[in-house]
Amino acid sequence: MKRRLKNILVTGGAGFIGTNFIHYLFKNKFFEGIIVNIDKITYAGNLENLRDVEQRFGGERYFFEKADINDFDKIKAIFDGYEIDTVVHFAAESHVDRSLHGPKEFLHTNVMGTFNLLEVARKCWTGEEKKKKLFHHISTDEVYGSTKEMKYFLESTAYQPNSPYSASKACSDHLARVFYKTYGLPVTISNCSNNYGPYQFPEKLVPLMILNILDEKILPVYGDGKNVRDWLYVEDHCSAIWKILNQGKIGETYNIGGENEWENIRLVHFLCEKIGQLNGKDKDYYNKLITFVKDRPGHDRRYAINCDKIKQELGWKQEVDVEEGLEMTVKWYMNNPEWVDRVKSGEYKNWIKKNYKMR
Ligand code: NAD
Ligand code: TYD
């Protein structure tokens, strides 16, 4: 039975990847359905990201509902009201450093919130019709913990999370799997490596460094800067999710990655050099801002993903070369000074209040 993929509930659509996913669907002719975006609008949610979508499709093919994924009654009413047939679950507390200082919110949203959404789907999707539905749970490669050189995370790799963030995501993955195994809920899961691209909140490495370079502020590199991350351009993540929505096998997990392993220090040097070129500065001009600071507790040394399964079984591949993707990202932040200023000053919260009537 073919999946409907018509009335899609996106959770956390005002965040970084959710925003890019909504743009991706509306940009591509293959998607003809509607999107209902539910978001609690935490510090990480910014509706300005979706201003153009709201203008072009608002009230017809795009609907925003301010809601906490923990609110069973509200989410159930949204499910019933919009006849939701597909869930793409992004909503989460997503920043490792914040999870070190305040883990509780991570458990509340990532674990209990995911549980609540799964419960709503279980109650709403019943009978034969269930086969046309899909609950896609978005997760991270951080659930696998840190890996040694020449070793790669497979979908079968045992979970070994090392931060409150990754532990909460690991728990949510297990819950999604359990709802498939125990209740037959049509679930797929993906575990993706570090994303970068437009609209990322400047607390994560790439946007933080770009904005600090532009402001000539210090560039805080944790530890010796030799921790390795695998980098994927956010639009490539979106195309992988779309593949899974269409062709992913129920009950399966898919790893998604860029196959671009870079030490953090290499990435920071690259951004310094690129912005130097664009600003007509000397090649090494911005390097002087690099400052090695105290390491993050429990800092995972290396993430490296094997994403052969999604490539071989679903025919997905990355399109964006990492250096080109980083350059596009740098230019996006340089070309959107108003967005940047509002985010840096906190003014984006007022912007949302002024421009949106929250339901
Ligand atoms: P983000 O922090 O930019 O956005 C999260 C969004 O969720 C925000 O809009 C926020 O307002 C919303 N939200 C938070 N709590 C909520 C709640 N209780 N109810 C409703 N909405 C809530 O995160 P992101 O970087 O876009 O990540 C999205 C998903 O992708 C997360 O599940 C994350 O674990 C996963 N992921 C992220 C990366 C990455 O590199 N950013 C990599 C792999 C997987
Ligand atoms: P981050 O973007 O927080 O993603 P994650 O921890 O989920 O991988 O960090 C990416 C890497 O960059 C990680 O090894 C920590 C490091 N890092 C710094 O060195 N300095 C910083 O200011 C930040 C935010 C991260």
Side-chain angles (χ1 to χ4, degrees):
M1 206 182 293
K2 206 171 166 344
R3 284 182 197 135
R4 283 191 75 230
L5 303 179
K6 284 275 183 284
N7 300 353
I8 301 188
L9 181 76
V10 170
T11 72
F16 163 51
I17 307 177
T19 286
N20 279 285
F21 184 69
I22 292 173
H23 282 287
Y24 174 81
L25 287 194
F26 281 126
K27 228 167 38 191
N28 285 295
K29 299 244 173 336
F30 51 67
F31 175 65
E32 292 169 342
I34 67 159
I35 295 177
V36 182
N37 171 16
I38 58 170
D39 199 300
K40 181 178 161 185
I41 310 294
T42 67
Y43 78 94
N46 186 350
L47 285 171
E48 186 179 353
N49 300 350
L50 293 162
R51 180 168 33 179
D52 55 336
V53 168
E54 179 75 48
Q55 278 164 359
R56 287 176 60 208
F57 302 105
E60 286 172 13
R61 293 185 59 206
Y62 171 76
F63 304 87
F64 171 71
E65 300 276 356
K66 187 172 190 291
D68 186 328
I69 53 169
N70 281 289
D71 185 340
F72 184 92
D73 292 342
K74 193 159 185 182
I75 306 293
K76 181 155 186 321
I78 291 168
F79 249 71
D80 290 337
Y82 291 99
E83 298 180 4
I84 296 300
D85 54 56
T86 310
V87 175
V88 187
H89 174 34
F90 294 100
E93 287 294 334
S94 71
H95 189 40
V96 174
D97 292 328
R98 283 181 191 257
S99 81
L100 302 175
H101 300 293
K104 200 167 172 186
E105 198 56 34
F106 284 71
L107 297 183
H108 182 65
T109 286
N110 300 1
V111 181
M112 290 313 292
T114 300
F115 168 73
N116 193 51
L117 268 182
L118 289 162
E119 273 288 80
V120 173
R122 179 166 84 92
K123 296 269 159 64
C124 291
W125 294 346
T126 51
E128 267 301 288
E129 279 291 295
K130 196 160 77 174
K131 294 193 179 130
K132 295 184 191 163
K133 322 277 182 173
L134 183 69
F135 187 114
H136 182 62
H137 174 63
I138 306 286
S139 192
T140 164
D141 62 351
E142 302 193 23
V143 296
Y144 299 121
S146 194
T147 185
K148 298 210 162 52
E149 226 172 293
M150 304 305 290
K151 294 252 192 246
Y152 295 87
F153 301 135
L154 286 166
E155 286 81 356
S156 56
T157 300
Y159 277 25
Q160 210 163 40
N162 292 316
S163 71
Y165 164 64
S166 53
S168 67
K169 292 298 290 188
C171 190
S172 66
D173 295 10
H174 291 323
L175 286 170
R177 183 185 142 86
V178 162
F179 269 68
Y180 161 66
K181 285 277 178 187
T182 311
Y183 304 117
L185 191 74
V187 168
T188 46
I189 300 173
S190 54
N191 295 86
C192 187
S193 61
N194 287 58
N195 286 213
Y196 65 94
Y199 304 106
Q200 190 168 29
F201 193 80
E203 62 184 353
K204 306 272 168 59
L205 183 72
V206 170
L208 180 92
M209 293 296 162
I210 293 174
L211 298 191
N212 281 12
I213 294 169
L214 292 171
D215 287 344
E216 301 203 19
K217 285 194 184 150
I218 73 147
L219 309 177
V221 174
Y222 300 163
D224 63 3
K226 292 194 174 155
N227 298 65
V228 173
R229 294 292 181 265
D230 172 69
W231 294 97
L232 179 72
Y233 191 63
V234 64
E235 209 168 284
D236 280 334
H237 188 182
C238 296
S239 69
I241 296 166
W242 185 242
K243 275 271 182 209
I244 296 170
L245 296 187
N246 279 279
Q247 302 166 43
K249 225 174 123 203
I250 299 300
E252 292 289 315
T253 288
Y254 297 91
N255 279 351
I256 306 169
E259 300 177 299
N260 292 302
E261 285 171 52
W262 282 32
E263 286 183 349
N264 292 335
I265 191 66
R266 175 177 173 200
L267 184 57
V268 176
H269 277 137
F270 179 87
L271 294 174
C272 286
E273 191 177 330
K274 184 54 63 192
I275 295 174
Q277 266 172 20
L278 293 168
N279 274 348
K281 301 275 191 211
D282 212 54
K283 187 168 164 295
D284 297 322
Y285 179 80
Y286 292 115
N287 284 338
K288 61 176 187 282
L289 302 170
I290 294 174
T291 309
F292 291 93
V293 299
K294 192 164 168 292
D295 208 354
R296 171 191 277 177
H299 194 177
D300 285 331
R301 192 65 172 168
R302 175 169 173 265
Y303 298 146
I305 206 147
N306 176 316
C307 51
D308 289 351
K309 178 175 169 179
I310 189 169
K311 288 180 149 181
Q312 283 161 14
E313 293 184 11
L314 306 188
W316 171 80
K317 66 175 174 36
Q318 316 87 344
E319 300 289 343
V320 179
D321 165 79
V322 64
E323 295 199 2
E324 280 169 26
L326 286 170
E327 178 165 348
M328 286 194 283
T329 306
V330 164
K331 287 183 173 160
W332 187 86
Y333 282 92
M334 291 174 81
N335 291 334
N336 287 280
E338 289 175 359
W339 184 94
V340 167
D341 285 345
R342 277 196 278 270
V343 167
K344 279 199 306 201
S345 66
E347 180 57 24
Y348 70 109
K349 289 285 168 203
N350 294 334
W351 187 94
I352 294 170
K353 280 195 203 116
K354 264 188 248 143
N355 288 277
Y356 276 85
K357 276 199 202 84
M358 297 292 183
R359 269 171 274 232

